[in-house]
Coordinates of all heavy atoms in Angstrom, one line a residue:
R235 N 0.8 2.1 -4.2 CA -0.2 1.1 -4.7 C -1.6 1.6 -4.4 O -1.9 2.4 -3.5 CB 0.1 -0.2 -4.1 CG -0.1 -0.4 -2.6 CD -1.5 -0.9 -2.2 NE -1.7 -0.7 -0.8 CZ -2.3 0.4 -0.2 NH1 -2.6 1.4 -0.9 NH2 -2.5 0.4 1.1
N237 N -5.5 -0.6 -4.1 CA -6.0 -2.0 -4.0 C -7.4 -2.0 -4.6 O -8.2 -1.2 -4.2 CB -6.0 -2.3 -2.5 CG -6.2 -3.8 -2.3 OD1 -6.1 -4.6 -3.2 ND2 -6.6 -4.2 -1.0
G240 N -10.2 -6.2 -1.7 CA -9.5 -7.0 -0.8 C -9.0 -6.0 0.4 O -7.8 -6.0 0.7
G241 N -9.9 -5.3 1.0 CA -9.5 -4.4 2.0 C -9.5 -5.0 3.4 O -10.5 -5.7 3.7
H242 N -8.5 -4.8 4.1 CA -8.3 -5.4 5.5 C -8.4 -6.9 5.5 O -8.9 -7.6 6.5 CB -9.3 -4.8 6.4 CG -9.1 -3.3 6.7 ND1 -8.3 -3.0 7.8 CD2 -9.3 -2.2 6.1 CE1 -8.1 -1.6 7.8 NE2 -8.8 -1.1 6.8
T243 N -8.1 -7.6 4.4 CA -8.0 -9.0 4.4 C -6.6 -9.5 4.6 O -6.5 -10.7 5.1 CB -8.5 -9.5 3.0 OG1 -7.7 -8.8 2.0 CG2 -9.9 -9.4 2.7
D244 N -5.6 -8.7 4.4 CA -4.2 -9.3 4.4 C -3.8 -9.8 5.8 O -3.2 -10.9 5.9 CB -3.2 -8.2 3.8 CG -3.1 -6.9 4.6 OD1 -4.0 -6.6 5.5 OD2 -2.1 -6.2 4.4
Y245 N -4.2 -9.0 6.9 CA -3.8 -9.5 8.2 C -4.7 -10.6 8.7 O -4.6 -11.1 9.8 CB -3.7 -8.4 9.2 CG -4.8 -7.5 9.3 CD1 -5.9 -7.8 10.1 CD2 -4.9 -6.3 8.6 CE1 -7.0 -7.0 10.2 CE2 -6.0 -5.4 8.7 CZ -7.0 -5.9 9.5 OH -8.2 -5.0 9.6
S328 N 0.3 3.9 0.4 CA 1.6 3.1 0.7 C 2.9 3.8 0.5 O 3.8 3.2 -0.1 CB 1.6 1.8 0.0 OG 0.9 0.8 0.6
C370 N 0.6 -4.4 10.5 CA 0.1 -4.5 9.2 C 0.3 -5.9 8.6 O 1.1 -6.6 9.0 CB 0.6 -3.4 8.2 SG 2.4 -3.7 8.0
G371 N -0.5 -6.2 7.5 CA -0.3 -7.4 6.7 C 0.7 -7.1 5.6 O 1.4 -6.1 5.5
I372 N 0.8 -8.0 4.6 CA 1.8 -8.0 3.6 C 1.5 -7.2 2.3 O 2.3 -7.1 1.5 CB 2.3 -9.4 3.2 CG1 1.2 -10.2 2.6 CG2 2.9 -10.1 4.4 CD1 1.7 -11.6 2.0
L373 N 0.2 -6.8 2.3 CA -0.3 -6.2 1.1 C 0.6 -5.1 0.5 O 1.0 -5.2 -0.7 CB -1.7 -5.5 1.4 CG -2.3 -4.6 0.3 CD1 -2.6 -5.3 -0.9 CD2 -3.5 -3.8 0.9
D374 N 1.0 -4.1 1.3 CA 1.6 -3.0 0.7 C 3.0 -3.3 0.2 O 3.4 -2.9 -0.9 CB 1.8 -1.9 1.8 CG 0.4 -1.5 2.3 OD1 -0.6 -1.7 1.7 OD2 0.4 -0.9 3.4
Y423 N -7.1 1.1 13.1 CA -6.5 -0.1 12.4 C -6.2 -1.2 13.5 O -6.6 -2.3 13.2 CB -5.2 0.4 11.7 CG -4.7 -0.6 10.8 CD1 -5.0 -0.8 9.5 CD2 -3.7 -1.6 11.3 CE1 -4.5 -1.7 8.6 CE2 -3.3 -2.6 10.4 CZ -3.6 -2.7 9.1 OH -3.2 -3.6 8.3
G538 N -6.5 1.4 1.0 CA -5.7 1.7 2.2 C -6.4 1.4 3.5 O -7.5 0.8 3.5
G539 N -5.8 1.8 4.5 CA -6.3 1.6 5.9 C -7.7 2.2 6.2 O -8.5 1.7 7.0
Ligands
GLA1605 C1 -3.0 -0.6 5.3 C2 -2.0 -1.7 5.8 C3 -2.2 -2.9 4.9 C4 -3.7 -3.3 4.7 C5 -4.5 -2.1 4.4 C6 -6.0 -2.4 4.4 O1 -2.5 -0.1 4.0 O2 -0.7 -1.2 5.7 O3 -1.4 -4.0 5.4 O4 -4.1 -3.9 5.9 O5 -4.3 -1.0 5.2 O6 -6.3 -3.3 3.3

Side-chain angles (χ1 to χ4, degrees):
R235 65 95 192 90
N237 192 14
H242 289 266
T243 50
D244 60 347
Y245 53 82
S328 270
C370 62
I372 62 173
L373 164 69
D374 302 343
Y423 188 90

